[in-house]
Amino acid sequence: MDNGEERAVTDRTQFEVREKPFYQPQRNEVALYEAAYAARLPVMIKGPTGCGKSRFVEYMAWKLGKPLITVACNEDMTASDLVGRYLLEANGTRWLDGPLTTAARIGAICYLDEIVEARQDTTVVIHPLTDHRRTLPIDKKGELIHAHADFQLVISYNPGYQSLLKDLKQSTKQRFTAFEFDYPDAALEAAILVEESGIDAHSAERLVNIGAAARRLKGHGLDEGISTRLLVYAATLIERGVAPADACRMALVRPITDDRDIRDTLDHAIDAIFA
Amino acid sequence: MSTEAVASRSDAAWAERLRVCRERLDCRFPQVSDVFEACLVKAEHVLSVEGVDAYLDCARFLGRMGRGVEPVLVFLAEWPAVAAILGEDALPIIARTVQVLSKSPNGKAIAPFLQTLAPVARRLAAREPMQHYLDLTLELMERTSGSIHGIHKTFASPGLPEFFTHAPTLLNALSIAGLRNWVDYGIRNYHTHPERQRAYFALQSADSRAVLQRERHGTLLVDQERRLDLYLRALWHDSAPLLPYATDVEQVAKPAPYFDSCGIRLPDVLDDARGVSGQQRYQIALAHIAGHRRWSSPLVADNFSPMQRLAIEFLEDSRIDTLILRQYPGLRRTFLALHPKPVEGACDPATQSSLRHRLAMLSRALLDPEHGYHDAVLLDFVGRFARTMASGEASSEEIAQLALSYVARTRRQSDQLATVFFADTEVDYRDDNRHLWRFHERSDDEEMFDEPPRPAASAELERLPPRHYPEWDYHSQSYRPDWVSLYESLHPSGDTAAIDRLLEKHSALARRLQRLLDLLRPQERVRIRYQEDGSELDLDIAIRSLIDFRGGATPDPRINLSHRSNGRNIAVLLLLDLSKSLADRVEVGATGGEQSILELSQEAVSLLAWSIEQLGDPFAIAGFHSDTRHDVRYLHLKGFGEHWGELVKSRLAAMQAGYSTRMGAAMRHAAHYLAARKAEKKLLLILTDGQPADVDVHDERLLVEDARQSVSELDQQGIFTYCISLDRKADEYVSDIFGRRYTVIDRIERLPERLPELFMALTR
Ligand SMILES: Nc1ncnc2c1ncn2[C@@H]1O[C@H](COP(=O)(O)OP(=O)(O)O)[C@@H](O)[C@H]1O
Ligand SMILES: [Mg+2]
């Protein structure tokens, strides 16, 4: 893979997932992912914010024993932020690989989180890595990288964004196999809260009921309901001794809405559920 | 003076007292003699000796005023009751008001004033608000007397007597501050129109009632509607139109909430009560109804006697409340506050029917572990109820059995008596349980289906040959080729002025939208800074980087800038569902005005078209409806090439509602036009008020599945579909079709502002 140029060999182990992450499977996604990885197919994970997409990828990297490089995408990101760039130094310039290039070289799973946040001219650089060529041209260096045999590309994306301009290009979507995630069902979600925060099962169940109430308001003034992540936050606060009603208002309601009617409705749900 | 004192006085002494007082009254109207003794008894009962004297003096003054016998009679009859509430030393302020009235041309108003003084006092309950009331009265008099035709104070106020007559009704609904506002509105608007003024103060004109409604105390359903709708969805996973019924202000027993196929009916206004706010009372009433909707199933009424039905209803209500509290234990306090607490032994079963009272006690005990009742049978049934509920949710049937054995166990002869003990037995958050009963004896329910006449295919509608589209059959997971025939034509034209009027109405909204539009409007050339590769050097950044570099720090390499021209490259097609339901009317605002959905859609579409025109995005509008698969109509309202102008407005003005909603075919045809556009992004907006359906399709899923299929076809073509649904029940199918790309507009009257806002949010 190395084109001979002098370059510090990247330490592969630093990207390894050392401890087993807790992941509660929702269906057969673990087996399906393994199959996709075995064929080195690119994977897209769709689903609302905070439903366990990142946790899943982390868990799969651990299970497969592959390094994981995660990139949180944002609007200001350019292609160079992914591929790499020359740095100016006192005695000349030095090339620095971007995370995508590093992953391709060392055979990591490269996880581009919330990819729609990146501009579309940025996302196109992943195209050649997603077809049978599995290559990454670095124009500035005149180098063509052939991806390591272990390399895999994973993107996550939240189709709930209600903006036409923040949707993935059809030509990008067509390159991925896809998982559709959603918030776990009540029993699983409660189990996750218990595991993640140490809260008791009964309180976990109540939190999940509040989550369910909020999710029913989607499309009626809420773009998205309360995420599993926020429920974990609330559970954590309660576990640390915060009164449940306060924890819920702070972790579940205030973050997601400025709409007074919705806020009052959810506050009422909290009071009704936590006697 | 106490009752005994009066009673024990000898007849002779009383006759003497009566004579002295009659003399002091010094009034020769024979009618007075008829009632005087009764009035005096009452007066002696509540007034001191000096108080009685003052009473008689005031009555004498009234008799000599020259306004006939009426004022004296009314005063004699009413004052003791008023004094009992306000204290007898309130007399001077009342007397002063009467004097002012009598010196003005408003003498005729004195009798009505005195007539309603007792109920008004009962409502106001204290001296201070009474003073406000009197001040308000005089102000009303001042401002409405005699200013007609500039002749000063010669004419009586036309509204004043009416005002006094209705004052108790008004004060039942309004606080004194609310009353002042209501009076003020009437004066300001009608002080020069005697007739209209009279109608206003007699509560006969529409605006008079509207202002009354606006000023009512308590919580209005219209103000809570969205909140309650959200509440019903979030906590109960249920949704139904929430419809107010009028609670007459004069009515003592308010009708109970109920629900039927049209929706959930709740009182139009609820006061705070027993420490529970009006809003909470609505929530509890709604929770109870939602509980019935979830857990109750109807029983055959003919099988039971009225008493058995009463018992079944009480126990079924208790079952529902129990289940609600299992899920929402936090509501217990509110339930307990609202549920009456009948007093054990308050009702004498020898003389009154006590079944209601027994049941209300049982109902209390089932809700409140600390009921403190001792009755053995009651305690036994509390235990049996708990055992019935222990296994799970139980059922209406099981509860009916329990209720029957309760009635059998506690039966009394007196249950048949006509006098029913009512005190503390009405649980006012509960609905009337009409849903619980099915009757075998049915009246013949004939329904008339008269279809609106088909508009004759007008000759000016030039018809192109039909286009054929496939339809998705989800049973076989395959397309039925060329299944649908679609005819397209230009929409007929109407009166442009109608649309201009609608836009005029929304000029404030248009100004607000304008500000949002300005933010969205593409600049000719946009500078993008912080580029590693770009067309120009960004000097500011470059110098900063160089300084960093010289200083030994790693410089930022993003020293270029580039330009992008015109960030928006979007083609938009708005597809309107023109099916029959569009003609439905909805209430708009608190004043109870009505508008059809069609009209609201016209307003909304006009505003949207106006907005998009400002942004310069290519934009087309089309409508559709269908009458079987052989006849789907696609009507062009605005082409991509046309500007928002007279021609388009005139077509929009002629929009009509009719037929059904075969959505898939219309979307495919719209896609055909969008696909031909050379834009980076293509957006198909669908405005609809119902589920895809057509008269020749009986399987409800079929056209839903077909629409879903066409959305994914469009997706493949790079067309982004987004649905704006006006159907409250849309949750059942809209996400099946559109995934996450939809919004349900619950308050249709807000469509005109929501539609353009949604569009801007989508393309931001
Ligand atoms: N299936 C799951 N198993 C374990 N934890 C989960 C699961 N789903 C959600 N979580 C919890 O929710 C949090 C947010 O999940 P994350 O994967 O970051 O969401 P996403 O990437 O979808 O935005 C995690 O930190 C974890 O606590
Ligand atoms: Mg994440």
Side-chain angles (χ1 to χ4, degrees):
Chain A
M1 271 355 65
D2 199 347
N3 64 357
E5 189 181 316
E6 190 215 338
R7 177 169 55 83
V9 177
T10 313
D11 176 14
R12 199 166 182 270
T13 60
Q14 65 174 312
F15 297 114
E16 275 166 10
V17 183
R18 294 212 185 81
E19 265 176 56
K20 177 181 180 179
F22 165 67
Y23 178 71
Q24 171 69 55
Q26 294 197 29
R27 249 166 272 112
N28 56 347
E29 67 269 25
V30 172
L32 288 177
Y33 190 103
E34 284 174 328
Y37 183 80
R40 300 296 186 272
L41 296 176
V43 164
M44 156 161 65
I45 305 177
K46 303 203 275 186
T49 318
C51 71
K53 301 184 296 290
S54 302
R55 182 59 68 87
F56 173 60
V57 174
E58 206 187 324
Y59 173 76
M60 290 312 304
W62 173 84
K63 191 149 197 289
L64 296 165
K66 305 296 172 205
L68 173 65
I69 296 179
T70 299
V71 183
C73 301
N74 63 64
E75 227 173 302
D76 292 333
M77 211 169 69
T78 61
S80 313
D81 291 321
L82 285 176
V83 175
R85 58 167 56 93
Y86 278 109
L87 293 184
L88 279 170
E89 283 182 343
N91 41 6
T93 60
R94 182 168 67 87
W95 174 259
L96 187 72
D97 277 347
L100 184 64
T101 312
T102 307
R105 285 197 211 275
I106 67 170
I109 293 173
C110 183
Y111 175 42
L112 304 180
D113 197 5
E114 307 286 5
I115 190 152
V116 281
E117 292 291 342
R119 285 207 314 274
Q120 295 193 344
D121 50 330
T122 308
T123 29
V124 291
V125 304
I126 65 174
H127 285 190
L129 277 170
T130 55
D131 55 32
H132 65 281
R133 293 171 290 174
R134 288 172 53 88
T135 53
L136 177 62
I138 305 182
D139 297 338
K140 283 195 191 149
K141 264 184 98 189
E143 183 185 352
L144 183 70
I145 299 180
H146 290 273
H148 187 289
D150 286 350
F151 170 79
Q152 189 200 22
L153 191 62
V154 182
I155 61 177
S156 78
Y157 138 72
N158 178 356
Y161 281 122
Q162 303 216 328
S163 169
L164 168 62
L165 301 179
K166 270 204 178 157
D167 196 17
L168 271 189
K169 256 196 162 111
Q170 196 58 28
S171 64
T172 305
K173 284 188 199 166
Q174 297 271 4
R175 294 164 179 273
F176 288 83
T177 60
F179 288 89
E180 175 116 42
F181 274 39
D182 206 337
Y183 301 118
D185 66 31
L188 287 186
E189 194 161 45
I192 292 171
L193 298 192
V194 169
E195 183 67 33
E196 290 277 297
S197 69
I199 200 174
D200 63 288
H202 188 55
S203 305
E205 220 170 275
R206 292 171 160 191
L207 285 173
V208 168
N209 283 340
I210 295 170
R215 288 168 199 167
R216 291 183 201 122
L217 298 181
K218 210 191 72 194
H220 297 273
L222 272 190
D223 289 340
E224 247 170 39
I226 291 171
S227 67
T228 309
R229 179 187 298 124
L230 291 179
L231 291 177
V232 171
Y233 289 171
T236 307
L237 290 171
I238 294 173
E239 193 50 24
R240 291 179 164 245
V242 178
D246 292 338
C248 290
R249 281 176 172 73
M250 170 177 166
L252 305 182
V253 182
R254 299 304 177 270
I256 62 164
T257 185
D258 297 316
D259 180 328
R260 252 192 73 194
D261 291 342
I262 292 202
R263 206 184 58 205
D264 287 356
T265 302
L266 294 179
D267 283 353
H268 179 76
I270 291 166
D271 293 337
I273 287 171
F274 284 98
Chain B
M1 193 172 291
S2 74
T3 323
E4 297 89 90
V6 175
S8 67
R9 207 148 39 179
S10 71
D11 285 353
W14 174 245
E16 175 57 13
R17 171 79 178 143
L18 193 58
R19 193 192 58 76
V20 171
C21 291
R22 189 73 181 76
E23 220 154 70
R24 184 163 185 136
L25 179 62
D26 185 21
C27 164
R28 263 169 267 268
F29 293 114
Q31 299 96 315
V32 170
S33 303
D34 298 345
V35 298
F36 185 70
E37 182 168 0
C39 292
L40 188 64
V41 171
K42 230 190 321 169
E44 298 249 297
H45 195 65
V46 293
L47 302 177
S48 66
V49 181
E50 301 79 51
V52 174
D53 288 348
Y55 167 63
L56 296 171
D57 293 346
C58 185
R60 188 180 56 235
F61 162 74
L62 288 170
R64 294 194 174 162
M65 223 167 34
R67 300 283 173 190
V69 68
E70 199 57 21
V72 202
L73 283 176
V74 174
F75 177 78
L76 285 173
E78 299 294 324
W79 176 249
V82 178
I85 301 163
L86 299 178
E88 62 185 29
D89 50 349
L91 186 56
I93 58 171
I94 304 296
R96 206 169 308 126
T97 307
V98 173
Q99 274 167 4
V100 175
L101 285 173
S102 78
K103 283 187 197 134
S104 81
N106 292 293
K108 274 213 179 66
I110 292 174
F113 167 68
L114 293 170
Q115 189 73 58
T116 53
L117 202 56
V120 164
R122 216 166 289 130
R123 218 26 239 190
L124 297 174
R127 190 82 61 79
E128 195 203 319
M130 177 53 92
Q131 186 64 59
H132 284 300
Y133 171 77
L134 298 174
D135 293 347
L136 181 60
T137 299
L138 294 183
E139 185 184 332
L140 171 60
M141 184 198 84
E142 282 286 321
R143 289 168 64 191
T144 51
S145 304
S147 52
I148 305 156
H149 311 308
I151 307 167
H152 204 56
K153 302 278 186 268
T154 334
F155 296 94
S157 156
L160 195 59
E162 300 290 355
F163 170 75
F164 287 135
T165 307
H166 292 90
T169 305
L170 289 162
L171 282 168
N172 268 334
L174 302 176
S175 64
I176 192 82
L179 183 65
R180 174 169 288 282
N181 292 341
W182 182 83
V183 166
D184 199 53
Y185 183 99
I187 298 174
R188 268 190 291 110
N189 288 283
Y190 302 117
H191 67 278
T192 56
H193 291 278
E195 278 319 306
R196 293 209 214 151
Q197 186 188 123
R198 201 168 290 131
Y200 182 91
F201 286 99
L203 272 172
Q204 274 160 0
S205 67
D207 61 344
S208 154
R209 262 167 299 169
V211 178
L212 171 64
Q213 201 62 21
R214 194 183 71 200
E215 297 292 337
R216 277 181 93 159
H217 56 69
T219 309
L220 295 184
L221 181 63
V222 284
D223 295 337
Q224 289 295 321
E225 202 190 321
R226 170 153 188 264
R227 228 175 256 209
L228 292 172
D229 181 64
L230 293 170
Y231 170 79
L232 192 58
R233 284 174 200 279
L235 277 81
W236 295 103
H237 206 180
D238 194 355
S239 107
L242 303 177
L243 308 165
Y245 57 79
T247 45
D248 203 326
V249 284
E250 282 140 303
Q251 214 161 8
V252 184
K254 312 275 188 218
Y258 63 96
F259 65 94
D260 56 21
S261 57
C262 300
I264 295 176
R265 316 279 181 153
L266 297 165
D268 54 357
V269 59
L270 279 180
D271 281 322
D272 298 358
R274 284 150 283 171
V276 179
S277 71
Q279 185 188 343
Q280 283 174 307
R281 291 181 66 196
Y282 274 123
Q283 287 172 332
I284 296 294
L286 206 51
H288 186 81
I289 281 179
H292 274 305
R293 286 159 67 94
R294 179 175 297 181
W295 291 302
S296 286
S297 44
L299 305 166
V300 177
D302 313 51
N303 298 348
F304 307 105
S305 73
M307 278 189 298
Q308 288 173 325
R309 291 217 292 262
L310 184 69
I312 294 172
E313 292 189 11
F314 260 101
L315 283 176
E316 175 70 353
D317 283 340
S318 293
R319 178 175 80 97
I320 295 306
D321 289 351
T322 305
L323 292 172
I324 291 171
L325 290 177
R326 268 187 206 167
Q327 197 165 352
Y328 296 113
L331 300 180
R332 183 176 301 277
R333 225 169 357 107
T334 324
F335 270 100
L336 287 178
L338 291 177
H339 194 296
K341 199 169 181 178
V343 178
E344 194 164 18
C347 157
D348 174 11
T351 56
Q352 288 167 303
S353 166
S354 66
L355 181 63
R356 269 196 82 90
H357 186 246
R358 295 201 302 274
L359 286 168
M361 270 171 52
L362 179 59
S363 170
R364 176 75 199 187
L366 294 177
L367 199 62
D368 179 9
E370 274 141 46
H371 53 82
Y373 296 136
H374 299 293
D375 183 77
V377 183
L378 180 141
L379 297 177
D380 178 37
F381 274 85
V382 169
R384 288 175 65 177
F385 180 85
R387 285 192 291 285
T388 308
M389 298 300 294
S391 53
E393 293 171 0
S395 65
S396 304
E397 288 287 345
E398 283 172 73
I399 284 300
Q401 290 313 314
L402 189 64
L404 293 186
S405 67
Y406 178 81
V407 173
R409 257 296 273 293
T410 66
R411 191 192 318 272
R412 283 171 181 273
Q413 210 56 48
S414 63
D415 289 348
Q416 308 287 352
L417 292 176
T419 43
V420 176
F421 184 86
F422 260 104
D424 296 332
T425 62
E426 260 160 314
V427 190
D428 62 12
Y429 65 81
R430 291 178 176 170
D431 59 292
D432 68 4
N433 281 321
R434 68 180 64 185
H435 57 88
L436 199 56
W437 304 113
R438 183 162 294 151
F439 292 88
H440 272 323
E441 305 275 306
R442 278 182 160 261
S443 59
D444 41 335
D445 45 343
E446 48 185 86
E447 279 182 70
M448 294 278 288
F449 289 106
D450 34 359
E451 291 285 320
R454 294 180 63 149
S458 84
E460 61 185 292
L461 266 185
E462 240 185 287
R463 269 203 166 193
L464 295 164
R467 292 181 65 99
H468 297 290
Y469 283 99
E471 196 164 275
W472 179 252
D473 175 14
Y474 73 105
H475 290 295
S476 60
Q477 291 289 304
S478 63
Y479 286 102
R480 294 164 163 168
D482 287 354
W483 189 252
V484 177
S485 308
L486 181 143
Y487 296 86
E488 59 183 313
S489 54
L490 211 53
H491 198 287
S493 305
D495 175 17
T496 316
I499 296 295
D500 286 328
R501 268 198 306 279
L502 294 179
L503 281 172
E504 183 74 20
K505 188 176 122 189
H506 285 290
S507 56
L509 176 56
R511 272 196 302 279
R512 197 153 58 72
L513 288 173
Q514 182 73 58
R515 280 197 292 278
L516 292 173
L517 289 166
D518 288 342
L519 294 175
L520 277 183
R521 202 196 316 277
Q523 266 99 45
E524 282 309 307
R525 271 156 69 85
V526 192
R527 280 199 326 165
I528 314 175
R529 302 183 81 173
Y530 297 108
Q531 297 287 295
E532 224 162 300
D533 310 294
S535 51
E536 276 173 46
L537 193 66
D538 188 335
L539 265 180
D540 291 345
I541 309 290
I543 289 168
R544 208 180 304 152
S545 278
L546 193 62
I547 293 167
D548 285 348
F549 183 55
R550 291 263 163 82
T554 313
D556 187 341
R558 298 174 300 172
I559 55 170
N560 287 306
L561 58 80
S562 55
H563 294 284
R564 216 174 13 168
S565 62
N566 198 346
R568 295 178 70 89
N569 189 356
I570 313 171
V572 188
L573 197 153
L574 174 66
L575 189 56
L576 303 172
D577 168 0
L578 298 180
S579 63
K580 194 167 54 201
S581 48
L582 206 61
D584 291 353
R585 304 184 73 79
V586 290
E587 275 194 23
V588 185
T591 46
E594 275 200 345
Q595 246 187 317
S596 70
I597 304 179
L598 178 80
E599 222 170 74
L600 283 162
S601 300
Q602 285 172 319
E603 292 173 17
V605 170
S606 304
L607 279 163
L608 180 67
W610 171 83
S611 304
I612 298 183
E613 180 85 8
Q614 314 263 310
L615 288 171
D617 299 333
F619 175 50
I621 312 175
F624 73 98
H625 54 68
S626 63
D627 185 19
T628 79
R629 70 185 176 94
H630 303 293
D631 192 5
V632 176
R633 305 294 182 85
Y634 186 98
L635 301 159
H636 294 275
L637 287 150
K638 174 183 181 304
F640 280 112
E642 286 178 292
H643 280 287
W644 168 241
E646 296 304 297
L647 210 53
V648 177
K649 285 184 196 171
S650 74
R651 288 186 208 127
L652 212 52
M655 246 166 68
Q656 274 186 343
Y659 311 106
S660 310
T661 316
R662 211 170 194 107
M663 197 182 277
M667 279 163 61
R668 290 184 181 97
H669 193 61
H672 157 81
Y673 283 103
L674 269 173
R677 301 299 305 178
K678 277 205 200 59
E680 219 172 81
K681 296 285 186 180
K682 295 165 187 179
L683 172 63
L684 176 62
L685 283 177
I686 298 161
L687 180 64
T688 171
D689 63 342
Q691 164 172 6
D694 206 346
V695 285
D696 57 339
V697 181
H698 302 296
D699 174 359
E700 273 196 22
R701 292 290 320 156
L702 194 94
L703 291 178
V704 170
E705 293 288 340
D706 174 57
R708 168 204 181 94
Q709 187 68 18
S710 74
V711 168
S712 75
E713 289 164 27
L714 266 61
D715 220 27
Q716 294 298 315
Q717 298 176 52
I719 297 171
F720 184 99
T721 347
Y722 194 93
C723 173
I724 296 123
S725 174
L726 306 179
D727 182 5
R728 288 165 165 281
K729 292 209 242 28
D731 282 0
E732 289 161 21
Y733 57 86
V734 71
S735 65
D736 288 350
I737 302 176
F738 296 98
R740 290 161 186 274
R741 295 173 183 172
Y742 70 88
T743 294
V744 182
I745 298 190
D746 300 305
R747 305 186 58 172
I748 300 179
E749 73 270 20
R750 293 187 52 202
L751 182 67
E753 67 181 286
R754 294 286 290 134
L755 186 64
E757 283 173 4
L758 257 167
F759 171 76
M760 288 186 232
L762 274 171
T763 60
R764 190 160 24 231

